[in-house]
Amino acid sequence: MTAPRPPHDDVEQAARRAVSREKMGRDVPEPSLGARLGQIGILGWAIVTPILIGIVLGRLADRHFETGIFFTAPAIFIGAGIGFYSAWKWMHSQ
């Protein structure tokens, strides 16, 4: 059986963690508002661009085969899936 730790050990560890977090905050500052807006813009285009490409390709296929929106509707969903996947991968790489 281990002996209980003195209460000052917990306080000492908490103080060390606080100093470590403060140092990390100084070394790696929070991104600026402009940087955050830029990230939002990149994510938006990463999602919208494949959807727009899906619309264009779907409409071209529908005009060629004269099928109404038979190819456009699934192309939109496929484009959205690709866009959300690429945005997810980009977010996790940051």
Side-chain angles (χ1 to χ4, degrees):
M1 188 158 75
T2 60
R5 293 190 325 210
H8 68 275
D9 281 353
D10 293 337
V11 174
E12 185 178 329
Q13 287 178 357
R16 284 186 183 152
R17 283 193 305 266
V19 168
S20 173
R21 282 193 297 267
E22 184 179 337
K23 183 180 182 302
M24 189 184 322
R26 278 180 286 160
D27 293 344
V28 184
E30 188 69 24
S32 68
L33 177 63
R36 292 286 186 194
L37 291 175
Q39 289 174 341
I40 292 169
I42 289 171
L43 284 175
W45 281 111
I47 295 169
V48 169
T49 302
I51 294 173
L52 293 176
I53 291 171
I55 291 171
V56 169
L57 293 177
R59 290 300 299 152
L60 288 173
D62 284 333
R63 284 187 188 152
H64 179 73
F65 296 111
E66 298 175 0
T67 54
I69 61 166
F70 183 78
F71 291 108
T72 303
I76 291 171
F77 287 106
I78 292 169
I82 292 170
F84 284 118
Y85 178 75
S86 66
W88 181 77
K89 292 293 281 185
W90 182 81
M91 285 186 339
H92 286 284
S93 72
Q94 294 297 310

